[in-house]
Structures are given as C-alpha cells and as structure tokens.
Amino acid sequence: MAVPKKKTSKSRRNMRRAHHALGKINVVVDSRTGEYKLPHHMSLIDGTYNERLVIAKKIATDEAV
C-alpha cells in the first residue's frame, strides 16, 4: 500500500483545493415577465422559451372535490 513519506503542508494542501470553489450562477431577467431565470431555460410563469409558447397553462376548474 502506498504511504506518503512526508506530511502534506498546509500551503500545498490549500493550493490543491484552489479549484474546488463553486462558480457564480448566471441569472438573467426575462424580457416578457421580468422574472429572474437561468439562461436557455423556459419561463416558469408563462411557459415561454425564446418568445414562443412551449407549455400551455392548465385552467383551474371549480369541479375539484
């Protein structure tokens, strides 16, 4: 079994972890609804993507028991 000969220093350990940070999330404002959304995703409020209707909303009925 491979065993390290020397203890890894704090500096070397931290340099190795320098790339582990999470990146920022890119958020854009939808031009139609004004809501914040991820780019290249559909709008959750009106169901549009790239100014086209993708998903039609269900109409709520009073028949629910």
Side-chain angles (χ1 to χ4, degrees), residues 7-17:
K7 178 182 178 180
T8 305
S9 69
K10 295 173 189 172
S11 174
R12 189 170 292 277
R13 177 197 65 199
N14 293 339
M15 284 191 285
R16 182 178 65 242
R17 294 178 183 173

Side-chain angles (χ1 to χ4, degrees), residues 42 46-48 52-57:
M42 68 171 226
D46 57 356
T48 58
R52 290 181 297 198
L53 186 64
V54 178
I55 297 177
K57 282 189 165 185

Side-chain angles (χ1 to χ4, degrees), residues 4-65:
K5 194 161 195 133
K6 305 255 182 186
K7 178 182 178 180
T8 305
S9 69
K10 295 173 189 172
S11 174
R12 189 170 292 277
R13 177 197 65 199
N14 293 339
M15 284 191 285
R16 182 178 65 242
R17 294 178 183 173
H19 304 287
H20 293 186
L22 296 174
K24 296 178 184 174
I25 297 175
N26 187 21
V27 179
V28 296
V29 178
D30 190 14
S31 60
R32 288 184 73 176
T33 61
E35 71 168 331
Y36 293 105
K37 68 181 190 84
L38 295 173
H40 305 288
H41 285 69
M42 68 171 226
S43 172
L44 297 177
I45 292 179
D46 57 356
T48 58
Y49 178 77
N50 201 16
E51 304 297 329
R52 290 181 297 198
L53 186 64
V54 178
I55 297 177
K57 282 189 165 185
K58 283 187 176 181
I59 299 173
T61 59
D62 294 332
E63 297 176 9
V65 177

